[in-house]
Each structure stands twice: as structure tokens, then as C-alpha cells.
Amino acid sequence: MADPIDGGEDIFEKLRKGVDPKLEEEKIRIANEREQAQYAKYQRRTNELIETNSSLPTTISSIRVLNAPHTRRGFLDRVFKPILSTYQERPYTLAEAIREVAIAADKLHRLDIFQDPISLYVNRPDQADSSTTPTDIDVYLSVREKSRLLLKTGTNAGNGEGDAFANVLLRNVFGGAECLNVNASIGTRTRSAYQTAFNTPILSNPDFQWEIGGLASSTQKIWSSHEEALRGGWTKIRWLAPGGGRHELVYNGVWRQITGLSSNASPTIRNDAGDSVKSSIMHTWVKDRRDNPMLPTRGYFNKTSLELAGWGPLKGDVAFGKAEVEGQGAIPIPVPGIKGESGVSLSTGLRAGVLYSLPLGLETEPKSSRINDRFSLGGPTDVRGFRLSGLGPHDGGDAVGGDVYAAGSANLLLPLPRVGRDKPFRLQAFVNGGRLLALKKSQKDGTESEKVRDLVSSTVADLGDGLPSMAAGFGLVYAHPVARFELNFSLPLVLRKGEDGRKGLQFGIGINML
């Protein structure tokens, strides 16, 4: 008879040696294969059920979301309760039931609190249960919640500025897809910027959201010999229209300060120095049908924005109406000898805006616009071949902005040789231009409001007087998922007196370039 103590020594010896890594890897592989096989089995079962019974009457008796411990049940109920058969006038067909559940699952995806994919399973309830009917199905959605805390730090360089930033994102704060975003940055031009924003979907709808936030920043504007400090906040509502356009209605309340004037600041800058308060409401509409916002080859983009400040009950100490429109279109260009998409495309863009001074509060006479509110034009993200704010009115060496502008561009994009059309790199050839004009003093008789109205209409007409300031060039484009990077060689072609062109290399980073 064997001594059991000797066998025990062998066991302890094995424990001291530890677990074989190869054996552990094999166990993980087998577990993954088992999980994938189970998933494939459920998918086949669901597909077979839909294909063979797509027209059969179906009632959705229950919908369960699995693995969502941090998401409130009441929040999920608003998404799924309306599609339960209890709330329907007639039974679904099976195909209709699956389609409705898929639409609701897509809402979960767009709330940005769950990872991809969101798996859908369909099962028949136990027919032994007297509360069920032969047409009942149970629906299960298996999800994985995204990390509730995301911390990101980094550096940026471009557009004549470098900065370092830190961003903290808190997801699903109260279990209803709420999001708290805190951002801080310091840089060479934007000395400091702090921003906090909290947003939440309304009635569990990802297409209807409310946001509130605050900011504090200090930016050095060397092209205008001053520094601008901002302190304020906003609240906004965003919604998606049935036609696909996105709307945003915002109230802004901001205290602005023009300070840190350089010794050679112009009289215009000195006249606008000091404090001002802007209280405004703004509506923005965007419709984006481009195949790739950073590197479009087909589709179009339209945007309008209207802002009203200081009028009537809005108060503040600046009053104006401001309107901007923007459009962009892109078409693919076929190349003989290349089958399918060639990767060559032509895109065109147009932007225009007007600033209209209004009487402040209950006053009857409008005030002149301030440099904080006027448009600026020029730089690597709009009219290339000019320095930042290089177009338009200048007082000495200072860019002072304008009240009316229009700008356009045409860009030919070609794939890099040996890189291919599927990569986010392109060679670019472009021509762009624009005009930025200030309102002048009216020589006509009448009230101040009539004079301003006459000046705006005459200034808009002056945009077409002569050639716009123009530049052409070529360069390299890289379309990163979050921004577009360009390195261009530019040559100014038409330059007006006082404007600041830039011949040579120019580097730019932007989200929506002209």
C-alpha cells in the first residue's frame, strides 16, 4: 500500500513550480472559442428564427438589458417601454419587432456609454407559464459599459501656437448617460483656458440634449496688439430634425476684457480696451452629408448661424445681430484606366457673414461694433497664404476686423504615389480668396438705424468690387479622425494695402477648413 504522505510531497512540489504559461494560454484560448461558439449559436438561432417566421404575428413580452449595472432602469425604460407589445394597438410581425428593437439598440449606441457591439438575442418564453402566449418573445440585449472615467493629457502644435492640455471625462454620472467634461490647457498664445461642461439627454433621447457650462481663458492676440480675457457661461439645447439637420439654441453670458496692450497698439485697439459684457442668444443649423468630414470625396455640408446680442431684455453693453452661412461640396473625379474610385476629388467651399449694429437695450441709436465681435479672416484654416487675421482692415500694424466678409476656395486632392487612395494622405492644390470690409460712416441723412441699414447693404455690394485677395499653392494633407493637418506652400496672388500675406510654408490644424 502506497504511503499518502509521499503523494502529498509531489503535490506541493508542483505548486512550488507554479502554473505553466502555455497551459494558461491554452485555457484562455479554449474559453474564448467556447464564448465565440456560443455567440455564433445564438446568432444562427436568431437568424433562423427571423428567416423562417418573419411574417408571423409577434408580441414582445419583455426586453432585458444585461451587464449595465451603472445605468438606471428608469432611464432604459424610456427607451424600450414604448416598443413593448403592451403599448401597441396590434401585434408586430417578427421582422417588425426585430427592426423596432434594433432602432432602440441604436439609441443606446448613440448615447456613447456602451461599447460596440451591442448583441441582440431573441428567445421564446417557457410555454408552461400560463401568463405567456404562443406569439410572445423575450428580447435580450448584451452590453458592456464604457469606462466611466477617462483622463487624457497631451500637447498640440499648429496655427502659430503650441499648448499642453489635460482633459477629464466622466461618463454616465448619474446613470442616465450624463457627461461631465473638464478641460484645462496652457499655451504660447492661449496662455490659459479652463472649461467645464455638463450635458444630459432629455427623456433618454440621444438626439435631444441639454448642456450647461462655463469657461475662463486668456488669449494673446499678437496680430492686434492685445490680450483678451473671457469669463462666462452658457446653456444650450441640441436636437436632430427629421430631415437630418442638427439644431443648437444657445444663451451666452460672457464678460470680456481687452487688456495687456503693447506699447505700439493702434488707436482703434486702445479705443476698444477695457471691459464689456455680451449677453446673447444664438441658433446654429448644420447639415452634413459628406462621406468623410476631414477628407471629403463626395457630399455636401451646409451651416447657418444667427446671433442676437444686447437687444431688448438681453441687456449687456454690446448690441448687434450677426449672421453667417457656410457651404462645402465635394465630387469624385474619375481617372481613365483606374477602375472604381480613383481617390481624386475636387472640393469647393464658401463662407460669408454680416454684423449689424443694433440699439442697446431700450436705446434708439445703435453703437459701433467692437473688435471682440467683428469677423477676422486669414490663416491656414480659412484663407491660406495669409497670416492669422491678415485680410481686411488694419490700423497701422493691427488687424481690427470687419463687419462683412466673404471667402471661397477650390481644392484638388490626389492620392500619394505608392500610398494608395485608402490611406488618409493626400496631395493638395488649391486657390482661395476673400474680402473683409468694415462699415464706414454714412453721408446720408436720416436716423442712425437707417444709416446703419444703408451702410450694411452698400458694404455687402462692395464685396464684388474688384478681385478678392487671393492666394494659391500646393501641399500635403493628413486626415486624422479628430482633426485635419495641412502643410502647404502658398503664394499670395492679390494683396491689398495693409493686408499681411505669407509666402512660403504654412502649417495648419483644423476641424472644418475652408
Side-chain angles (χ1 to χ4, degrees), residues 194-473:
Y194 306 95
Q195 181 173 298
T196 301
F198 175 83
N199 69 71
T200 179
I202 299 174
L203 300 177
S204 302
N205 186 350
D207 298 326
F208 190 26
Q209 299 204 1
W210 173 70
E211 179 178 301
I212 187 170
L215 63 87
S217 68
S218 178
T219 305
Q220 189 176 31
K221 300 189 174 183
I222 55 176
W223 57 87
S224 298
S225 302
H226 72 271
E227 186 174 324
E228 183 180 35
L230 302 177
R231 303 287 187 276
W234 71 87
T235 183
K236 66 176 70 173
I237 294 177
R238 293 190 294 261
W239 70 96
L240 181 66
R246 292 191 173 275
H247 295 262
E248 186 174 275
L249 185 63
V250 188
Y251 169 77
N252 287 297
V254 186
W255 166 58
R256 298 98 54 89
Q257 186 178 44
I258 292 180
T259 184
L261 273 61
S262 65
S263 58
N264 59 347
S266 64
T268 302
I269 302 299
R270 294 183 183 279
N271 185 58
D272 282 345
D275 299 347
S276 65
V277 176
K278 183 179 79 168
S279 174
S280 72
I281 54 173
M282 182 168 66
H283 174 265
T284 302
W285 171 81
V286 174
K287 191 168 188 178
D288 193 349
R289 290 293 181 267
R290 297 171 295 182
D291 57 351
N292 184 336
M294 299 301 166
L295 197 66
T297 59
R298 55 165 44 88
Y300 64 90
F301 170 84
N302 293 323
K303 178 180 178 180
T304 64
S305 65
L306 299 169
E307 184 177 15
L308 181 64
W311 186 77
L314 287 173
K315 302 299 183 182
D317 56 15
V318 292
F320 59 82
K322 198 174 187 179
E324 287 188 87
V325 295
E326 181 178 351
Q328 187 184 89
I331 56 172
I333 298 178
V335 175
I338 299 179
K339 293 183 179 180
E341 297 285 345
S342 66
V344 180
S345 63
L346 176 68
S347 64
T348 58
L350 176 68
R351 294 177 186 171
V354 59
L355 176 66
Y356 188 95
S357 295
L358 296 172
L360 179 62
L362 301 177
E363 297 177 3
T364 58
E365 302 298 335
K367 289 189 173 184
S368 299
S369 61
R370 296 175 59 90
I371 190 172
N372 320 58
D373 305 310
R374 297 186 200 117
F375 300 110
S376 63
L377 195 62
T381 61
D382 46 49
V383 183
R384 305 167 185 86
F386 292 84
R387 297 188 185 276
L388 287 169
S389 299
L391 273 75
H394 283 67
D395 186 355
D398 292 333
V400 296
D403 303 290
V404 178
Y405 85 95
S409 73
N411 304 63
L412 180 65
L413 297 167
L414 305 95
L416 267 68
R418 300 186 180 181
V419 173
R421 62 178 180 267
D422 297 327
K423 301 297 182 181
F425 294 94
R426 291 292 186 273
L427 291 173
Q428 170 178 250
F430 66 88
V431 58
N432 57 196
R435 293 287 306 274
L436 176 63
L437 303 175
L439 298 180
K440 299 178 181 178
K441 291 186 177 180
S442 176
Q443 304 300 321
K444 288 190 175 183
D445 295 331
T447 65
E448 287 296 322
S449 297
E450 291 172 343
K451 291 179 180 179
V452 170
R453 192 159 46 244
D454 174 68
L455 277 173
V456 170
S457 60
S458 62
T459 305
V460 170
D462 287 344
L463 289 174
D465 183 14
L467 289 173
S469 300
M470 296 176 63

Side-chain angles (χ1 to χ4, degrees), residues 75-87:
F75 177 80
L76 295 172
D77 283 348
R78 290 195 186 98
V79 177
F80 293 106
K81 262 191 176 181
I83 65 175
L84 291 175
S85 292
T86 306
Y87 301 93

